[in-house]
Amino acid sequence: MAVAWQGNPVVLGGFKTVGGKSVATDQVWRVINSHWVEMPRLLQPRAGAAAAVAGDRLVVTGGVDANGALLSTTEVFDGTSWSLGAPIPTPRQQLAAASDGKLVYIVGGTTGDSDQVNVEAYDPIAKAWTTLPPLPQARCDLGVAITDGRLVAVGGISGGQVLKSVSVFDLMSKTWSGLPDMSTPRHGMAVAAVEKSVYAIGGSSTVGDKDPTSTAEVLKLPARKIQPAAQWRSLPDAPTARLMMAWAVLNGKIWIMGGLQNGVALQTVESFNPKTGAWEAGPPLPVPLHHAAAATYRGEVVILGGASDNIADGSNKVFALRGGNWVELPSLTHARAAPAAAVVGDKLVAVGGQNAKQLVPQTEVFDGSSWKEAADMPTPREHLAAVSDGTYVYTIGGRFLSSDKNSAALERFDPQSGQWTKLVGMPTPRGSYGATYIDGRILAVGGEEPTRVLNVVEMYDISEAKWSTLPPMPTPRHAEVVATVGNTVYVIGGANRPTHEGPIATVEALDFM
């Protein structure tokens, strides 16, 4: 085993030849001033173990002793002497280790009878082990490295086959995914990270210690996506308890407009600054509105559609907040309540909704001067959500005029071509909820069913075309604000009961890191 400790290479244990046989040694050597200097010896001989540095402590665990028996012991060097730490939960050899500076991660290995998928983290301060999600594939004699919040597991042997596959573990989300294969299968190689590149050097492409290679290869890691925290955090309540409001983010503030409170449509406008935690009152809407949609367009908050009284009487009005006042923009061609809206480039897109107890299938696109129709949404629905990734508009969920007829549909609109594409639907059909975009993912939050409101949070990775489940909201709700500012998703207000009852002012946030 070898590590870099206090700026110098250190070699620990391993096999040495005694009487023509390979036996484990307890010797530890360090390079100082270009010379090898012996350090205090390990508490017992060991080979095929794993070592890493956490803080100023050098940690070594697992492997075999001088008789070839598996070791469960962990040893920690504090700069002066070795002491015993907590034993490794799964004794094994030919395992790999890497550290994020605080914890030592132990990956894979073999018992001699079977290759292992085990992954564990050791905290040398607390002297405690934590079991983590296993490797996607068992492997021993592999290499690992940590960089950019990720642990990369490279090559090794599995079931008698030398591997070229590479897996990556996100330390925040605690999930495994794949990376491109090495060009050469190898085991027993050196693996190290420099900045955001991982190097695999040497090793062998055949099982055993023969046929070593001097080749090396490097993988530059793709940009890491920020990952959600393990739980939501609570913030002070909003000034106004309400549901079915419209919202948009402008200049780092979440603007919230209209909505319902105890069955009454509101003109109330408030903005929330997450950076300072401050709420401010804004100019009231020209008319009371609920079930409207909003977006930020050309540096202004724009609200469209909705209803002032009965949801069956949809509005076609469009207003922009300009210079502290609301000004009317060209009206929608199709009145619509409970629609969704999003912006791509210089185009504002309005989709879905209902009017006169009928679904509105038409897609409308505003270019700053007038509204033009594009292809109809493939799955007409209302009480849906829409987000933009800067290239496309994504419409998610919604319902078919009733809370017992929720949709799981996910569809993508290309304003450039005017065409729609169907994508993988949500695991949980839902309507009357909020969605937001963050770092290549779409979050769908909350929702309404006939007898309950939801705390379910699901995330769609656009590049991977996969849904996953995130920590649930502490407060189940529907008809709420869901908005991203920076690396945090904020959920504001809504209702804690189905229909239009139970308005709340609760604010909760999910941080991404």
Side-chain angles (χ1 to χ4, degrees):
M1 303 84 71
V3 298
W5 182 69
Q6 296 185 350
N8 299 111
V10 176
V11 176
L12 312 95
F15 289 109
K16 66 178 181 180
T17 301
V18 177
K21 295 183 178 180
S22 294
V23 294
T25 179
D26 59 0
Q27 289 182 292
V28 181
W29 297 89
R30 180 186 185 188
V31 175
I32 299 179
N33 295 327
S34 302
H35 293 86
W36 287 101
V37 177
E38 190 167 8
M39 294 175 59
R41 296 192 174 203
L42 296 166
L43 299 177
Q44 64 188 122
R46 70 174 72 216
V53 174
D56 59 356
R57 290 172 168 82
L58 202 164
V59 180
V60 60
T61 191
V64 296
D65 64 15
N67 297 315
L70 289 177
L71 291 172
S72 63
T73 53
T74 299
E75 300 184 39
V76 179
F77 185 69
D78 62 4
T80 303
S81 61
W82 291 93
S83 62
L84 285 175
I88 187 171
T90 312
R92 53 203 194 270
Q93 62 172 313
Q94 294 184 324
L95 62 171
S99 174
D100 62 0
K102 179 182 178 182
L103 303 178
V104 173
Y105 296 84
I106 306 299
V107 183
T110 180
T111 62
D113 296 321
S114 62
D115 301 323
Q116 300 295 296
V117 296
N118 306 73
V119 180
E120 293 135 349
Y122 183 66
D123 184 338
I125 302 295
K127 296 184 178 181
W129 287 92
T130 302
T131 299
L132 298 174
L135 283 161
Q137 178 182 14
R139 59 179 81 199
C140 68
D141 207 16
L142 68 158
V144 297
I146 289 178
T147 184
D148 194 32
R150 292 170 284 184
L151 182 151
V152 182
V154 181
I157 296 175
S158 183
Q161 298 293 320
V162 182
L163 303 176
K164 61 180 178 179
S165 60
V166 181
S167 294
V168 60
F169 181 73
D170 191 289
L171 300 181
M172 173 60 68
S173 66
K174 293 180 172 53
T175 55
W176 285 97
S177 57
L179 288 176
D181 289 352
M182 292 185 290
S183 59
T184 303
R186 60 180 85 207
H187 70 99
M189 63 285 179
V191 172
V194 178
E195 296 182 344
K196 295 182 182 180
S197 295
V198 176
Y199 294 80
I201 304 168
S204 174
S205 294
T206 59
V207 175
D209 298 330
K210 297 180 180 180
D211 302 322
T213 178
S214 60
T215 63
E217 45 192 307
V218 60
L219 173 66
K220 185 173 182 180
L221 293 183
R224 177 185 179 271
K225 292 178 180 177
I226 54 176
Q227 299 296 327
Q231 59 186 16
W232 292 73
R233 56 186 174 93
S234 296
L235 297 174
D237 284 358
T240 305
R242 50 179 154 171
L243 66 148
M244 299 298 183
M245 51 283 209
W247 69 91
V249 175
L250 176 63
N251 297 329
K253 295 182 179 180
I254 303 171
W255 288 81
I256 304 172
M257 297 148 280
L260 287 170
Q261 186 183 68
N262 302 320
V264 177
L266 303 177
Q267 292 176 262
T268 307
V269 175
E270 295 163 338
S271 68
F272 174 60
N273 186 336
K275 188 174 182 179
T276 64
W279 286 88
E280 292 184 5
L285 291 171
V287 294
L289 281 175
H290 59 90
H291 289 85
T296 300
Y297 180 67
R298 291 187 174 182
E300 298 175 335
V301 173
V302 175
I303 186 170
L304 57 87
S308 292
D309 187 14
N310 193 317
I311 191 174
D313 298 323
S315 170
N316 66 351
K317 295 294 184 180
V318 183
F319 301 98
L321 183 57
R322 182 177 299 164
N325 296 290
W326 291 98
V327 297
E328 189 167 354
L329 299 182
S331 296
L332 293 162
T333 304
H334 303 277
R336 55 183 87 208
V343 172
V344 172
D346 199 42
K347 295 180 179 180
L348 171 61
V349 181
V351 291
Q354 61 165 291
N355 190 38
K357 299 183 180 181
Q358 298 292 320
L359 294 173
V360 179
Q362 291 88 357
T363 302
E364 298 187 59
V365 181
F366 184 64
D367 62 6
S369 300
S370 61
W371 291 92
K372 295 180 175 61
E373 289 193 26
D376 289 356
M377 189 163 53
T379 309
R381 54 207 195 271
E382 41 87 38
H383 280 89
L384 73 166
V387 303
S388 168
D389 65 356
T391 303
Y392 303 106
V393 171
Y394 299 82
T395 59
I396 317 105
R399 64 194 192 198
F400 309 110
L401 302 175
S402 174
S403 62
D404 62 352
K405 296 178 181 178
N406 283 334
S407 171
L410 171 61
E411 295 165 339
R412 184 184 71 198
F413 176 68
D414 183 353
Q416 194 71 27
S417 66
Q419 299 304 306
W420 286 88
T421 302
K422 290 189 175 184
L423 303 176
V424 180
M426 279 190 294
T428 304
R430 66 182 85 197
S432 183
Y433 76 106
T436 189
Y437 173 87
I438 183 168
D439 193 24
R441 277 77 52 89
I442 300 169
L443 262 68
V445 183
E448 179 188 27
E449 296 177 351
T451 60
R452 64 171 186 153
V453 295
L454 305 177
N455 65 354
V456 179
V457 182
E458 292 166 341
M459 181 171 71
Y460 180 75
D461 189 301
I462 294 172
S463 64
E464 296 182 3
K466 292 181 180 178
W467 286 94
S468 59
T469 301
L470 297 191
M473 278 188 300
T475 306
R477 64 182 92 187
H478 79 103
E480 78 278 21
V481 170
V482 180
T484 298
V485 178
N487 290 345
T488 300
V489 172
Y490 296 89
V491 177
I492 303 171
N496 60 13
R497 299 196 293 276
T499 68
H500 295 163
E501 298 180 355
I504 60 175
T506 307
V507 182
E508 293 164 341
L510 182 64
D511 298 313
F512 280 66
M513 294 169 279

